[in-house]
Each structure stands twice: as C-alpha cells, then as structure tokens.
C-alpha cells in the first residue's frame, strides 16, 4: 500500500527504500529507473521544442522585415503589395503556431494570480479579434455584474482568444453568445455545430473534422484549463450550434 501511494504521489523521492520487503525492492528499483527515463524523455522534448521555437524566429524575423520593406517601396504594383502582405500574415501564423507548440510542451503553470473581470477580459479579446478579422458578427454577453475570475491574466486571455477565434472562424454572421451559468462559461457560435464523432475529439491536436482541421486552438484550451484547475467540454446547443464550456470551479466569484 505504501509503495502504491508513493508511485501515485508527485515528487522525486526514490521509491526504493531499505525498509521495503525483499520481494518489493526490485519492483521499486525498476519503477525508479522507469520514472527517470520518462523524466529525461520529457526534458529532451521540452528542450527540443524551446530550441526549435528560438531557431525558427530568427529567419522568420528576416522574412517579415523584408516583406514589410517591400510594401513601402514607391510605385510597387498593388498585386506585389498584396503578396507581401500575405507573406507577413503567413509569418505571423507560423510564429503563433511555434509559440503554441512551445506552450503545449511546457507545463503552462500559472505565473501569477489576479482577480480579473470576466466581462472586461472577454470584451478586450473580442475587440482585437474582430479588428483583425472583420465579420458581420456581434457579441452578446450574458454575465452577472461583478463576475470575476482568479486567474493568470495571460493564460485566461489565451483561453478566451482561442475560443472566440474558433467561434469567429465557424460563424458567418449573427451573434456569438457568452453565457455564465454558475461557474460555467459557455461560448456559443453561429456555425454548423459539432458532429457526434467530433465532440469526443475536438480537443485533440490537429483533429480533422467534418468542417476542416481544428488545429491547436482547442488543444491549447484544454491544456491551459488542466493547468489552472478548470475543465473544458464541447457540445451543441439546442439550435445545433457549437458550444464550448469552461468550468472555472473555485476560481470564479462575484465582487
């Protein structure tokens, strides 16, 4: 029982101890060796992701700078300017993808805790997304006054940005609804919703569903929520539109 509890517990305390029965000692030593191999493998993967992210940024910065300079050249044809702008947008997407992969490789533990207005956090992210991707969509907030979340501002913004960006991508017009019920925040888009097969896999990395590849957005949402003690689930609302629900559990309160 003590060995089983030690295996389940977090921490680097060796399992093999002199007080163990002779029959259990080889098992404990084997588990220690296995744990060390697993930790070494995780560290190698994290180091590789960090190094790759760093190495990619240098050439991407050069490509982006050259493309920006092209757009400032006098008498440059409009078609060339559009191509340079597409290059800039592509570089930004690659950098965002590299940053997402790096975050997934790390623990994504909250660096700080602040009391944040949920309505203000959602509105801020929505404004920046809509400015970058103009669409005939409106945001409807159904949140009690004073609803606040005790969270890391960066991680909360990352969750909201990915959820709202996902809702924007699958909605052509109409409303995006953010509704708070108890400790659960639901974000409902105006798109075709999830198929029955998709709901179980939408949080998987690069899952290809009926409406295209979902990429890393929802995988990041689940990763960050797990690190913050929240949960993320997907479903369809009564009208058949896609809905993602974040349960903030003990992090949400009213001021």
């Amino acid at each position: 029982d003590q060995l089983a509890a030690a295996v389940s517990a977090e921490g680097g305390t060796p399992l093999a101890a002199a007080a163990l029965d002779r029959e259990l000692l080889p098992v404990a030593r084997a588990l220690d060796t296995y744990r060390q191999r697993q930790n070494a493998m995780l560290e190698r993967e994290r180091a590789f992701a960090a190094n790759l992210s760093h190495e990619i940024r240098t050439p991407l910065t050069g490509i982006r700078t050259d493309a920006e300079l092209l757009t400032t050249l006098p008498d440059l044809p409009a078609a060339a300017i559009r191509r340079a702008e597409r290059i800039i947008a592509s570089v930004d997407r690659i950098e965002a993808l590299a940053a997402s992969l790096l975050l997934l490789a790390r623990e994504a533990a909250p660096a700080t805790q602040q009391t944040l207005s949920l309505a203000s956090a959602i509105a801020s992210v929505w404004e920046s997304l809509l400015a970058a991707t103009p669409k005939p969509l409106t945001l409807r907030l159904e949140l009690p006054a004073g609803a606040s979340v005790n969270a890391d501002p960066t991680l909360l913004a990352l969750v909201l940005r990915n959820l709202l960006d996902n809702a924007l991508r699958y909605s052509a017009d109409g409303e995006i609804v953010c509704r708070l019920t108890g400790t659960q925040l639901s974000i409902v888009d105006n798109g075709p919703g999830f198929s029955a097969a998709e709901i179980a896999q939408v949080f998987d990395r690069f899952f290809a569903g009926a409406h295209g590849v979902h990429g890393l957005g929802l995988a990041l949402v689940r990763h960050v929520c797990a690190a913050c003690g929240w949960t993320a689930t997907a479903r369809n609302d009564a009208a058949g539109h896609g809905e993602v629900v974040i349960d903030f559990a003990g992090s949400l309160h009213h001021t």
Side-chain angles (χ1 to χ4, degrees), residues 12-34:
T13 304
L15 303 174
L20 280 176
D21 292 339
R22 181 172 56 83
E23 294 85 353
L24 289 177
L25 196 56
V27 177
R29 286 173 178 159
L31 288 171
D32 279 335
T33 302
Y34 176 74

Side-chain angles (χ1 to χ4, degrees), residues 67-138:
E68 287 178 336
L69 290 173
L70 280 176
T71 62
T72 64
L73 292 177
D75 303 323
L76 192 70
I81 292 176
R82 286 196 299 272
R83 289 184 179 181
E85 289 173 344
R86 284 202 297 269
I87 291 171
I88 293 170
S90 296
V91 168
D92 289 343
R93 284 196 296 273
I94 294 170
E95 288 185 332
L97 177 61
S100 297
L101 289 168
L102 182 60
L103 182 59
L104 280 172
R106 291 175 173 171
E107 293 299 326
T112 183
Q113 294 285 332
Q114 297 180 21
T115 300
L116 306 167
S117 166
L118 190 54
S120 297
I122 294 171
S124 176
V125 170
W126 173 258
E127 288 174 9
S128 64
L129 287 173
L130 202 59
T133 311
K135 277 189 175 183
L137 283 160
T138 57

Side-chain angles (χ1 to χ4, degrees), residues 16 57 64 78 83 96 109 184 187 196 215 242:
R57 283 197 180 98
R64 196 183 197 285
R83 289 184 179 181
Q184 296 185 346
I187 297 180

Side-chain angles (χ1 to χ4, degrees), residues 42-55:
L42 286 173
E43 286 304 316
R44 285 197 302 270
E45 288 183 355
R46 288 170 183 158
F48 174 77
N51 292 335
L52 181 63
S53 177
H54 179 269
E55 292 299 323

Side-chain angles (χ1 to χ4, degrees), residues 188-189 191-199 233-245:
V188 185
D189 62 35
F194 302 109
S195 69
E198 283 180 314
I199 289 179
T233 53
R235 63 193 184 196
N236 291 325
D237 72 350
H241 301 306
E243 179 178 9
V244 178
V245 180

